[in-house]
Amino acid sequence: MKTPSLDLLIIGAGPAGLSAADAAAREGLSYVVIEKGTIANTIRGYPVGRTLFSTTNELEMREGALKPVREKPTREELLSHYVHFVLDHGLLINAGEEVVDIERAEPDQFVVHTKSQDVIGRAASATYHARRLLFAIGAMDHPRRLNVPGEDLPKVHHRFVDPYPYVRKEALVVGGGNSAAEAALFLSEEGARTTMAIWRSDWENRDPKAGAMKHWVRSPLEREITEGRLRVVLYEQVDEITEREVALTTDAGEKLRIPNDVVFVLVGSDADLTLLRRLGVKTEAGRAAFTEVPVYKPETFETNVAGIYVAGHFTNARHIKPAIDVPRKVVPLIAQSLRAAGYFDKRRSEYRL
Ligand SMILES: Cc1cc2nc3c(=O)[nH]c(=O)nc-3n(C[C@H](O)[C@H](O)[C@H](O)COP(=O)(O)OP(=O)(O)OC[C@H]3O[C@@H](n4cnc5c(N)ncnc54)[C@H](O)[C@@H]3O)c2cc1C
């Protein structure tokens, strides 16, 4: 017997995928979200206790639903908000399941293959049929690397979540953006002997539009420097990471060897566009430096392959607000296209606001 076709299959349960699921439920579409990690996995990967830089109204799924203790929510408050949004609205999310392959069987028929593990670690696979696909896959799949000797040592991390294992350790943070600055600040404040290696252009950048570190990160960071707990090295390149040291060249050409127990390389990350490319979706250089984004129509977010839509961080919209806003506009257009093709009989779900 042929598996019934979903109207819409959504890949990824970050803010974009959750917003898409919400919109699909409102439209009465048959849909499912496949998420390889947990609900809001990227936000779960933020540093423990971190305060969001966005305001509540930019992050919440319903006006007034997110009620942080302080002015802006913490990682934990935001995560809880998204999880409860899923629970309260009965959104259909298959967490712990990864989309690994997709074929196009007919013009309006995609066959989606997934892999997961059961509770005792046995591998499982599943196949779904869907008329439309929405990729909401974020841009965290491939953390950028320095590509230097020693980068694969176990003490080198490409994500930072928690400063507490590193109290009184020699820590190096490499990177020039907000994530690197926050990690250096958290480590230094919580007793790691921290060095931040940053390019001069990033350190001197004060332009928020050019991705300068947020002033509420820079001010305490500068206090840590003044009070002698944090050292900033304006570097040209990291030369080598060894078990006990890091060798780097400063922007003045000086060679330094720094004692070291742990390294955080926080120089950004990229989306995995493999599935999209395999389906024939074209990509191009994105607006943010060093990024590659799928080509999509700005009004509909449909790619050059009919029936494949994109939303969220791996497009040119790199914050939570557009990740939530875009699916609210796009999913009703998908519903319209399904109705026009005669697939969808305006059935409304039991879903309530
Ligand atoms: C440390 C840090 C701090 C940030 N702070 C802020 C902030 O304060 N304010 C703000 O607006 N933005 C912030 N951002 C950016 C923000 O997190 C992203 O813009 C937002 O998460 C984008 O949502 P998304 O749904 O597009 O992608 P994501 O939240 O990344 O979700 C994508 C999901 O897709 C899943 N996925 C990917 N591939 C597959 C697959 N093949 N199969 C199944 N699932 C898949 C992933 O597991 C992931 O859960 C921050 C980012 C970082 C890293």
Side-chain angles (χ1 to χ4, degrees):
M1 203 181 76
K2 197 174 171 225
T3 323
S5 203
L6 294 163
D7 293 322
L8 176 64
L9 188 138
I10 299 158
I11 309 172
L18 296 181
S19 171
D22 178 38
R26 287 186 198 222
E27 292 290 330
L29 300 182
S30 60
Y31 76 93
V32 70
V33 182
I34 308 290
E35 165 56 57
K36 68 179 171 181
T38 58
I39 295 165
N41 205 53
T42 294
I43 287 133
R44 193 163 68 91
Y46 290 0
V48 171
R50 173 181 185 269
T51 300
L52 272 285
F53 58 69
S54 314
T55 50
T56 302
N57 64 317
E58 295 172 322
L59 304 167
E60 62 195 356
M61 287 290 174
R62 290 276 189 277
E63 203 182 327
L66 174 57
K67 297 187 175 70
V69 172
R70 300 217 172 99
E71 189 202 342
K72 292 179 178 178
T74 60
R75 160 197 187 262
E76 288 72 17
E77 287 172 323
L78 187 62
L79 254 184
S80 176
H81 169 69
Y82 290 147
V83 167
H84 283 278
F85 185 73
V86 170
L87 297 175
D88 294 349
H89 295 277
L91 297 183
L92 304 173
I93 318 281
N94 290 0
E97 186 171 351
E98 179 176 3
V99 174
V100 289
D101 198 14
I102 305 174
E103 305 146 52
R104 185 165 207 175
E106 305 160 23
D108 273 347
Q109 190 69 253
F110 297 98
V111 184
V112 177
H113 302 279
T114 69
K115 287 222 161 80
S116 57
Q117 282 191 351
D118 68 13
V119 281
I120 57 165
R122 278 179 309 209
S125 56
T127 302
Y128 300 81
H129 292 83
R131 297 192 176 104
R132 302 283 184 271
L133 300 178
L134 176 65
F135 280 73
I137 55 176
M140 298 300 290
D141 275 315
H142 298 302
R144 292 189 191 139
R145 295 172 58 87
L146 299 172
N147 296 318
V148 297
E151 195 168 0
D152 290 322
L153 285 169
K155 70 170 187 177
V156 183
H157 306 274
H158 294 81
R159 296 206 161 110
F160 171 79
V161 180
D162 176 5
Y164 296 104
Y166 311 108
V167 176
R168 292 189 172 142
K169 306 261 189 224
E170 299 288 342
L172 176 75
V173 179
V174 184
N178 223 49
S179 294
E182 278 181 347
L185 176 62
F186 285 172
L187 285 159
S188 172
E189 283 182 335
E190 301 307 315
R193 292 188 280 266
T194 309
T195 303
M196 184 178 183
I198 181 169
W199 282 335
R200 182 179 290 279
S201 53
D202 287 332
W203 183 246
E204 289 175 355
N205 177 13
R206 302 271 170 166
D207 178 3
K209 288 202 192 94
M213 72 180 72
K214 309 284 178 200
H215 67 84
W216 57 86
V217 180
R218 183 182 275 271
S219 304
L221 198 73
E222 286 178 345
R223 189 194 59 223
E224 289 297 298
I225 297 166
T226 311
E227 294 177 5
R229 285 185 293 274
L230 176 70
R231 173 185 182 198
V232 169
V233 173
L234 300 178
Y235 84 116
E236 176 66 37
Q237 62 176 41
V238 174
D239 299 316
E240 186 192 11
I241 302 168
T242 64
E243 270 180 39
R244 303 238 167 262
E245 287 182 324
V246 173
L248 44 81
T249 308
T250 69
D251 77 339
E254 189 190 353
K255 297 278 181 196
L256 290 183
R257 291 194 83 85
I258 304 175
N260 178 261
D261 300 307
V262 62
V263 179
F264 293 96
V265 178
L266 304 174
V267 292
S269 62
D270 296 301
D272 186 344
L273 301 174
T274 316
L275 291 173
L276 280 164
R277 288 201 184 102
R278 235 186 258 157
L279 285 159
V281 172
K282 291 190 187 129
T283 64
E284 63 184 2
R287 270 183 233 139
F290 313 118
T291 59
E292 188 73 11
V293 299
V295 175
Y296 54 88
K297 296 178 196 123
E299 324 78 53
T300 60
F301 284 70
E302 190 173 20
T303 64
N304 60 298
V305 178
I308 301 183
Y309 296 77
V310 291
H313 198 101
F314 79 115
T315 64
N316 278 315
R318 299 176 69 78
H319 292 307
I320 291 174
K321 187 176 175 352
I324 293 174
D325 287 347
V326 165
R328 288 182 175 157
K329 187 177 96 173
V330 167
V331 173
L333 298 176
I334 295 176
Q336 244 176 46
S337 79
L338 287 163
R339 271 185 217 118
Y343 291 121
F344 176 55
D345 54 6
K346 287 198 179 155
R347 73 193 117 88
R348 300 295 300 182
S349 68
E350 291 299 298
Y351 187 75
R352 293 197 212 313
L353 298 185

